């Protein structure tokens, strides 16, 4: 059996709520590149989590669509559909286009699992089959808007809310949230927006009982993060500082984080994420599963990874419909404040064919159609 067909699509999904963060805003829509890899009668799907514009990472959705269609898909047609083969064939592109490569690896993993009728949860050996639901709220125009957004999330059953902060939008909104929701698991994500001299400001947040303060300083400022950790009771997490396995090793060596935000797509996929998870768990470093506004395929992969035992605080585990409208993958189940890990064959159920056509804006097929 060999890969005889790779289909690459650019989808345009709606964004339900503006998603503001210190590094920029996401609003209106979320373009998304996806791939379908076929080997004879079996196929698998992969999702590339590159965002609409470059910045948070070097890749962007539309660019990734072209890289996938023009460069990467032709390299894997004719090869055996197993992850090791694909990883080797695409290794030269990993440095430039890690998330595009991860999308093809994900499709091949999905295909491998489907061929044997096995779920990703089984492959990962998961004992937990549900994870606590965690929502993220972007920067809000005022405190009342923030309170209204968080109120509706709490009413939906979310157990954790992570709030984006930056200098000028931190203590006041967080204090208002803490007063309104005294027992809610509250996290704050600064996206690297504070200067190392602003630790006094961040120390004032320590009284609010946050379970995580994420990425207070710029990614290179490991010394400042290590120093802040000594002065705070609140656990400090590394996200932008932890983009690659090498970055994560440097963060741990510098003592710059209590927790690392693991984004499987950014690290190269589920297998790479599991390897890093195992190392961090052995090193006694906590883990938080980080989202990239995924659709129903990528979000299911994230939720499965988040069920590994090293994930000790609630991650960005909301169903995909929290952010996206028009997602062709079937809705994800959430009940009693928990999100279920997919337990059917593959990483996720296949997308709905009609819904997929409705949101497809470009499509390319490599190999026989
Ligand atoms: Mg973050």
């Amino acid at each position: 059996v060999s890969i005889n067909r790779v289909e690459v699509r650019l989808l345009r999904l709606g964004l339900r709520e503006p998603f503001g963060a210190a590094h920029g805003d996401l609003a209106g829509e979320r373009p998304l590149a996806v791939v379908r890899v076929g080997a004879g009668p079996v196929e698998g799907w992969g999702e590339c989590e590159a965002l609409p514009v470059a910045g948070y990472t070097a890749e962007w959705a539309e660019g990734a669509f072209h890289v996938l269609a023009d460069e990467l898909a032709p390299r894997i047609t004719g090869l055996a559909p197993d992850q090791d083969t694909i990883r080797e064939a695409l290794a030269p592109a990993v440095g430039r286009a890690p998330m595009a490569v991860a999308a093809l690896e994900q499709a091949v993993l999905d295909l491998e699992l489907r061929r044997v009728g096995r779920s990703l949860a089984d492959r990962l050996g998961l004992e937990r089959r549900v994870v606590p639901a965690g929502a993220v709220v972007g920067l809000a125009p005022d405190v009342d808007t923030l309170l209204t957004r968080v109120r509706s999330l709490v009413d939906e059953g979310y157990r954790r809310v992570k709030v984006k902060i930056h200098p000028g939008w931190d203590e006041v909104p967080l204090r208002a949230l803490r007063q309104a929701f005294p027992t809610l698991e509250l996290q704050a994500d600064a996206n690297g927006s504070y200067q190392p001299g602003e630790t006094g400001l961040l120390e004032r947040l320590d009284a609010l009982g946050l379970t995580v303060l994420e990425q207070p300083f710029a990614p290179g400022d490991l010394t400042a993060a290590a120093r802040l950790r000594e002065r705070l009771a609140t656990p400090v997490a590394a996200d932008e500082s932890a983009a690659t396995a090498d970055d994560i090793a440097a963060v741990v060596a510098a003592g710059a984080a209590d927790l690392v935000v693991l984004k499987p797509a950014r690290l190269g996929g589920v297998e790479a994420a599991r390897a890093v998870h195992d190392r961090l768990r052995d090193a006694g470093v906590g883990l938080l599963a980080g989202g990239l506004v995924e659709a129903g395929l990528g979000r299911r992969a994230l939720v499965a990874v988040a069920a590994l035992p090293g994930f000790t605080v609630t991650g960005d585990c909301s169903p995909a419909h929290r952010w996206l409208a028009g997602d062709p993958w079937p809705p994800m189940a959430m009940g009693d404040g928990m999100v279920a890990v997919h337990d059917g064959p593959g990483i996720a159920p296949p997308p709905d064919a009609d819904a997929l056509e409705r949101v497809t804006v470009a499509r390319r097929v490599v190999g026989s159609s």
Side-chain angles (χ1 to χ4, degrees):
V1 189
S2 61
I3 294 171
N4 60 335
R5 184 175 190 274
V6 181
E7 179 185 313
V8 186
R9 286 178 185 249
L10 183 66
L11 313 183
R12 209 166 283 285
L13 304 176
L15 202 62
R16 291 188 193 277
E17 186 179 295
F19 187 31
H23 55 78
D25 293 347
L26 206 60
E29 50 188 27
R30 200 275 191 243
L32 183 76
V34 299
V35 293
R36 167 161 43 182
V37 172
V42 193
E43 59 181 35
W45 286 89
E47 184 179 318
C48 175
E49 314 302 356
L51 293 168
V53 294
Y56 189 78
T57 67
E59 293 170 278
W60 72 100
E62 208 173 324
F65 168 80
H66 291 290
V67 168
L68 283 161
D70 298 338
E71 186 191 339
L72 304 184
R75 282 199 207 182
I76 67 162
T77 49
L79 300 183
D82 69 74
Q83 283 195 95
D84 291 341
T85 306
I86 299 307
R87 193 169 299 133
E88 201 185 312
L90 300 181
V94 167
R96 276 180 303 118
M99 292 197 280
V101 170
L104 286 170
E105 283 195 29
Q106 185 180 58
V108 171
L109 172 61
D110 188 43
L111 189 154
E112 284 181 300
L113 291 167
R114 282 175 192 289
R115 205 163 53 184
V116 294
R118 201 171 173 210
S119 69
L120 177 58
D122 283 339
R123 169 149 174 152
L124 291 172
L126 299 180
E127 287 174 13
R128 294 194 280 174
R129 296 299 168 109
V130 291
V131 298
V136 182
V137 280
L139 300 171
D142 53 65
V143 171
D144 282 346
T145 306
L146 179 69
L147 286 170
T148 305
R149 284 181 188 166
V150 173
R151 165 65 62 202
S152 83
L153 293 166
V154 169
D155 289 347
E156 283 175 61
Y158 285 97
R159 303 206 173 181
R160 175 216 80 165
V161 172
K162 178 161 99 183
V163 184
K164 296 289 189 181
I165 61 168
H166 69 106
W169 179 257
D170 42 36
E171 193 186 357
V172 170
L174 287 171
R175 195 171 291 283
L177 281 176
R178 182 44 85 216
Q179 272 163 10
F181 308 97
T183 60
L184 179 66
E185 184 184 350
L186 206 52
Q187 302 177 358
D189 184 2
N191 289 108
S193 56
Y194 290 82
Q195 299 297 320
E198 292 173 307
T199 51
L201 233 152
L202 294 167
E203 281 173 46
R204 289 213 296 275
L205 306 181
D206 218 15
L208 299 175
L210 305 178
T211 54
V212 174
L213 172 60
E214 192 172 312
Q215 195 68 43
F217 308 119
D221 275 334
L222 299 185
T223 317
R227 232 182 279 128
L228 181 66
R229 270 187 72 205
E230 288 167 13
R231 295 162 75 164
L232 291 191
T234 306
V236 174
D239 179 5
E240 284 88 339
S241 298
T244 67
D246 287 347
D247 290 347
I248 291 171
V251 164
V252 173
D258 298 283
L259 298 133
V260 163
V261 178
L262 206 74
K263 295 185 167 160
R266 182 173 65 180
L267 277 177
V270 168
E271 299 288 344
R274 197 236 295 257
V276 171
H277 161 274
D278 294 350
R279 281 202 294 279
L280 289 175
R281 200 175 172 224
D282 292 345
V285 177
L287 286 148
L288 188 162
L292 287 163
V293 198
E294 295 91 347
L297 170 60
R299 228 355 118 94
R300 281 178 175 87
L302 180 68
V303 165
V305 168
L308 288 167
F311 287 86
T312 45
V313 299
T314 309
D316 303 344
C317 294
S318 52
H321 64 247
R322 150 87 183 112
W323 287 110
L324 297 176
D327 179 8
W329 273 272
M332 296 167 65
M334 174 174 154
D336 291 330
M338 306 295 277
V339 178
V341 179
H342 174 64
D343 61 2
I347 297 170
D352 177 82
D354 293 334
L356 185 67
E357 291 309 325
R358 279 197 295 276
V359 293
T360 297
V361 292
R363 175 175 171 272
R364 298 265 297 277
V365 178
V366 178
S368 56
S369 42

